[in-house]
Structure formats: structure tokens, C-alpha cells
Amino acid sequence: MSSFLGSSIGKKLIMSVTGLFLIMFLLVHLFLNLLTLVGSDVFNTAAHFMGTNPIMKVMEFALAAGFLFHMVYALYLTIVNQNARPVKYAVANKSKATSWASKNMLITGGVVLIFLVLHLMNYYYKIKFTDLIESGEMTEYDLVVGLFQPENWYYVVIYIGWFILLGLHLNHAFQSAFQTLGLNNKTWERRLIVIGNIYALVISIGFSIIPIYFFINSLM
Amino acid sequence: MDLKLKIWKQKNPKDKGRFETYNIANISPDCSFLEMIDILNEQLINEGKEPVAFDHDCREGICGMCSLYINGRPHGPDDDITTCQLHMRKFKHGDTITIEPWRAAAFPVVKDLIIERNAFDKILQAGGFVSVNTGGVQDANAILIPHDTAEEAMDAASCIGCGACVAACKNSSAMLFVAAKVSQLAVLPQGKIEAAARVKNMISKMDELGFGGCTNTGACEAECPKSISISHIARMNREFLCANIQD
Ligand code: HEM
Ligand code: SF4
Ligand code: FES
């Protein structure tokens, strides 16, 4: 087993499994966040449930572990792969057959990570480590609305930029994860690419709707 | 046509190497790329200079000996062909052509454009075969194989071991080559018997030799002169997973 997880395919399998776990997380997260559009009560109830439910506490731990493993392996594999070509080519490959996203996963992933830290400071930190919510001063919903006010227009830009980069990461990641698991063949190759594109669009657009909605709402 | 050639020159594996620029005139568009280098070499020999060392053998796209990373693409600007099948009509009068050897830690440069592809042989020796038992020759149709399966195996078997997949991959990964060799045997009844041990041995050899890992960019498939599909990589991953789950 250790030789298996230590092999090139085994290490890649860890990327794929943690990546698919994060893909599922994004869907759940998107669904919950879209509840902000339904109304403050619904969203606050859902956010409260997610924050206090014991199963969710465990999942929170799993999520942190998933991110950690994904990132550590991403960095490690990228370094190993770069070392496999000590002398670089003078002329770069110009073939259009490979997507930009597929060749720059560490860059898209890395930028997603930087914004993730900002995002956690905006919400997670305020909810867990300050008494803003407990004191009843603010609700989770207020936090969301508050971030996307006209004077905070740059947050709207930052968040949308974040979702575009995440979409690029997912665009390659989705079909790649299935390919890594061996769950692919000539027929499914194209289908998985299409499903992956749809997934990436749903995530990018879905999450972007929230800052745009509250920004426009606050202008009116 | 007249061309400017920027060619990688390296005396031996230890030499640092550098690009050397050559001018060549009156090349016919019907000339093949390797013939063009032959003409250059003749010119260099007549001038008392050292010719450019490069690999070639069959010159008809079947042996996998020719290599060359031409203007940023393994086997040059055309799809689905080897360098020996490339014609000068793909270039224009006045072009500058940059010619580099395959670049990979597992493929060290021997001299100029010649690289050591022994690593592929070592991977094959680790399991890319079917053990043959002694006895009489079997009847060719004793084991029936569905047409689709035979085609799938044949497609995989068309890999000529040129290494363009490694050269094209940003990770210098040999996964397409190994996957073709694993697939060609794994789908056939004769090869299935040793399939699990084969895939494990070949992968562990591949890792040991310093090839990078696959990140599924698809660059290999795009540059492979035999259009080997990356679906074979999915099959190899599957075979490898199943083989490891079984024990
Ligand atoms: C919510 C966030 C994320 C999701 C859903 C996600 C998902 C995925 C998936 C599914 C894969 C494909 C795995 C495979 O090819 O088998 C992948 C690959 C990759 N991810 Fe992420 N990822 C996320 C965040 C990150 C972060 C923060 C980083 C950066 C540190 C990162 C770096 C990478 C890299 C470098 C690869 C390519 C690795 C390789 O192919 O060897 N990802 N990601
Ligand atoms: S898979 Fe294609 S590119 Fe790779 S060695 Fe075989 S023929 Fe050459
Ligand atoms: S020389 Fe044999 S394939 Fe090119």
C-alpha cells in the first residue's frame, strides 16, 4: 500500500480524491450561499445549522484536511514534475491542443488559495472568533450584505476575479480527476469535458451572482 | 528556399552545449526535413567543420528513431507524423528553424541532437511482454478476439517508442508510452494473465527512471505521431488501481 500511494499514480490519486471532495463541497457551499437571495431568515437558519451541527463540525475538519492534502501534494508534485526536465526548451510549445488552465493549475490554485485566506478573514474569522454574531449585533446575512456595499466595490471585483480563476481551475480539474481515477474512455472523454465545463460555469456564475446582486441592490 | 537554422550543439553528455547558427541555401520544398540536415552536413564536411549529429533509421515513420524538437514541437509543425516524414514545404523561404533535442532528465543528450532513450527499453523489460511457454505453435484463431478489442489493441500497439510524448509533456511524463504498452497487452486474453504484475512493474520502473507524473494536459496525444489516445492512460490508471486493490 505504501508503495502504491508513493507511486506517481498513487500521489496523483490523492490529488484527484481530495479535489473531488472539494468539488462536492463547492456545490453544497454554493447552494447554501444562494439562500441569501431567498431571504435573511432562511440563510441565517441554514448558516446557524451548518455552524453548530456536530456532523458539520466533523466535516469542517475533513474540509480543512482535504484542502491541506490537496495543496501540499499540489506543490510537491509540481516541483517533482519540473525537476523531470532540468534543461528547458529554448522555444516553448505553441500547440493549441492543450488548454492554458491545464498547464497552470498551480497558479490558478495558488491565487484561489490567497483569496481563500481573505475570504476566511471576511467571514469565518468574524463568525467564529469575534462575538459579532453571538452578541446579536450582526447576523451571518448582515455580514454578506455588508461586504458588498458601494463603498466596498473592490470586494465585488476581488470576489468575481476569484470565481473566474476558480472556474479555470475547475475547468481542467473536473475531467482530470476522472481520468486520474481511470474512470474515462474515448466516449466519456468528451462528455466529461462538457460536464466539467458546465460545473465550472455553474460555480463561477453561481457564486458571482451573490456579490453582484447585493451590490446592485445597495445602489437602488 | 534559403533558411537559417539554429541547432543545438553539445560535444558529449557532460558538455554544457549551446545553439549554433547555420545558413543553408537552395533547399527544395520536396526535400524531407532529414534530407535537409543531410545537405547541411555535407556542406559542413566540405567546409572541414563538424557535422550535426542526429538520430534516424527507417526514414518512413515506423522505427521511432528520429526525434527533434522543431520550432517548439516534437516532430515539427505537422500533425501525426514523425520528423522523417516531415517535408520542407511546411516551411517558407527565409524562415529561422530552431532544432533542439528532446528535453527530459530521463533522456540525457548523448551528442548534439541525439538522446539516450534506453529508459524506454528498461520500462519494457520490466513487464512489456507476454511470457511465452515452450510447445508447438498455436493455431492463429484458437482464441477468438472480438473485432473492437483487436482494433483497440492494434491502436495501442502502433506506438513506435519515439518519445515525442515525453518531449511534449510539460512534466516529461512517459505515461502515454507506458499506457500504450500496458493497453496493447491488457485488452487481449494472452496479455490479461500477467496484467496486474505487468502494470505494477512497469509503473515502478517508470517512476524510478525519473520521468515526471501525468497532469492530464493532453500534450502527448496532440504530438504523438501515431495519435495514441490518452484514453489508454485512463485504462492504465484503472489497471494500476485494480492491481493494487487486489493485494
Ligand atoms: C475549492 C478549491 C479546489 C478544488 C475544487 C480543486 C480541485 C481540483 C481537482 C479536482 C484537481 C484534479 C485532480 C486530478 O487531476 O486528478 C485539481 C488539481 C490541482 N489542484 Fe486543485 N482544487 C482546489 C484548490 C486548489 C488550491 C488551493 C491549490 C493550490 C495550492 C490547487 C492546486 C492544484 C494543482 C497544482 C493541481 C494539478 C495537480 C496535478 O495534476 O498533479 N488546487 N484540483
Ligand atoms: S506514445 Fe506516441 S509519442 Fe509516445 S513513444 Fe509512442 S508513438 Fe511516440
Ligand atoms: S527514422 Fe524511423 S520513424 Fe523516423
Side-chain angles (χ1 to χ4, degrees):
Chain A
M1 198 66 186
S2 70
S3 72
F4 167 55
L5 286 180
S7 70
S8 57
I9 300 181
K11 286 182 206 128
K12 193 58 210 271
L13 191 79
I14 294 174
M15 286 303 294
S16 162
V17 171
T18 53
L20 282 173
F21 175 63
L22 296 177
I23 278 179
M24 304 249 282
F25 154 74
L26 284 179
L27 271 187
V28 177
H29 194 38
L30 174 64
F31 171 73
L32 280 167
N33 286 10
L34 285 177
L35 293 180
T36 49
L37 306 182
V38 180
S40 60
D41 286 347
V42 180
F43 178 68
N44 284 335
T45 315
H48 191 71
F49 172 78
M50 295 306 269
T52 49
N53 184 303
I55 296 174
M56 285 306 142
K57 289 248 149 99
V58 177
M59 286 312 281
E60 201 175 284
F61 204 74
L63 184 63
F67 261 110
L68 208 67
F69 270 99
H70 191 76
M71 284 168 343
V72 169
Y73 271 86
L75 197 64
Y76 173 64
L77 284 176
T78 307
I79 292 171
V80 168
N81 288 343
Q82 290 210 334
N83 288 344
R85 176 163 298 142
V87 184
K88 309 290 174 217
Y89 288 112
V91 184
N93 190 310
K94 289 181 221 82
S95 158
K96 286 179 200 69
T98 51
S99 68
W100 182 88
S102 74
K103 286 181 283 191
N104 294 283
M105 291 296 274
L106 193 70
I107 294 176
T108 51
V111 180
V112 165
L113 176 67
I114 294 169
F115 288 135
L116 177 67
V117 174
L118 181 75
H119 174 62
L120 289 177
M121 308 241 289
N122 287 157
Y123 295 107
Y124 190 79
Y125 175 78
K126 284 190 184 157
I127 293 172
K128 295 273 169 171
F129 298 104
T130 66
D131 58 2
L132 276 177
I133 306 279
E134 241 155 78
S135 66
E137 195 180 321
M138 278 181 118
T139 64
E140 286 90 344
Y141 183 81
D142 298 335
L143 277 178
V144 177
V145 180
L147 197 64
F148 303 122
Q149 291 302 305
E151 67 272 19
N152 286 345
W153 59 270
Y154 51 89
Y155 268 119
V156 180
V157 178
I158 288 175
Y159 268 78
I160 291 174
W162 186 30
F163 301 141
I164 291 172
L165 276 164
L166 179 61
L168 281 172
H169 194 79
L170 296 171
N171 177 276
H172 175 67
F174 190 89
Q175 45 101 13
S176 178
F178 286 93
Q179 171 83 3
T180 301
L181 290 172
L183 301 175
N184 204 352
N185 60 29
K186 279 190 190 119
T187 320
W188 276 88
E189 211 168 284
R190 280 208 211 98
R191 292 180 192 166
L192 283 172
I193 289 174
V194 171
I195 300 171
N197 285 346
I198 295 172
Y199 173 80
L201 278 176
V202 166
I203 293 292
S204 286
I205 297 175
F207 276 113
S208 298
I209 288 173
I210 299 161
I212 294 173
Y213 173 82
F214 286 109
F215 184 70
I216 292 177
N217 227 6
S218 64
L219 289 178
M220 293 196 296
Chain B
M1 60 177 106
D2 302 345
L3 300 159
K4 196 162 130 189
L5 304 172
K6 270 182 70 189
I7 301 181
W8 183 258
K9 290 286 290 177
Q10 183 172 340
K11 280 204 183 69
N12 54 51
K14 297 224 172 60
D15 181 22
K16 271 199 73 177
R18 78 228 151 262
F19 280 102
E20 195 95 23
T21 309
Y22 303 96
N23 289 305
I24 188 164
N26 286 326
I27 292 294
S28 153
D30 299 329
C31 184
S32 87
F33 196 85
L34 295 188
E35 278 166 350
M36 185 272 295
I37 303 182
D38 289 337
I39 295 170
L40 171 74
N41 278 344
E42 209 160 322
Q43 188 180 311
L44 289 174
I45 291 167
N46 286 340
E47 290 168 10
K49 290 188 192 143
E50 171 134 328
V52 176
F54 66 100
D55 263 329
H56 62 101
D57 191 6
C58 71
R59 298 215 178 188
E60 55 179 2
I62 55 170
C63 74
M65 226 16 227
C66 59
S67 52
L68 307 188
Y69 195 83
I70 304 161
N71 284 346
R73 285 189 67 183
H75 295 303
D78 214 350
D79 290 336
D80 303 336
I81 57 159
T82 53
T83 297
C84 59
Q85 293 170 297
L86 178 65
H87 281 85
M88 293 313 292
R89 53 178 164 268
K90 290 283 162 187
F91 300 90
K92 293 191 310 292
H93 175 79
D95 273 0
T96 299
I97 308 176
T98 308
I99 313 174
E100 301 175 69
W102 286 175
R103 296 283 188 203
F107 287 166
V109 173
V110 177
K111 187 176 169 51
D112 298 349
L113 302 170
I114 297 181
I115 39 125
E116 179 67 83
R117 275 170 288 189
N118 238 343
F120 271 8
D121 300 330
K122 288 185 190 149
I123 295 173
L124 285 183
Q125 282 157 11
F129 49 80
V130 173
S131 303
V132 179
N133 299 313
T134 51
V137 179
Q138 285 199 348
D139 179 30
N141 287 324
I143 305 169
L144 294 177
I145 296 164
H147 181 71
D148 288 348
T149 311
E151 287 291 335
E152 182 77 5
M154 198 59 209
D155 282 350
S158 66
C159 162
I160 54 177
C162 64
C165 42
V166 177
C169 174
K170 77 176 179 66
N171 312 316
S172 301
S173 171
M175 292 275 272
L176 191 65
F177 166 77
V178 183
K181 302 302 171 193
V182 164
S183 259
Q184 108 194 16
L185 298 174
V187 297
L188 296 176
Q190 294 91 332
K192 276 204 175 108
I193 300 155
E194 293 163 296
R198 174 183 308 117
V199 71
K200 285 203 279 190
N201 292 338
M202 288 179 81
I203 301 277
S204 98
K205 191 46 108 183
M206 173 186 89
D207 290 348
E208 181 192 316
L209 291 166
F211 290 104
C214 181
T215 54
N216 305 324
T217 66
C220 51
E221 179 186 75
E223 300 296 357
C224 172
K226 302 296 161 187
S227 317
I228 305 284
S229 157
I230 53 170
S231 64
H232 294 297
I233 297 181
R235 176 180 292 109
M236 175 172 70
N237 291 344
R238 199 156 63 227
E239 292 272 332
F240 185 67
L241 259 172
C242 294
N244 279 286
I245 288 168
Q246 276 164 15
D247 50 44

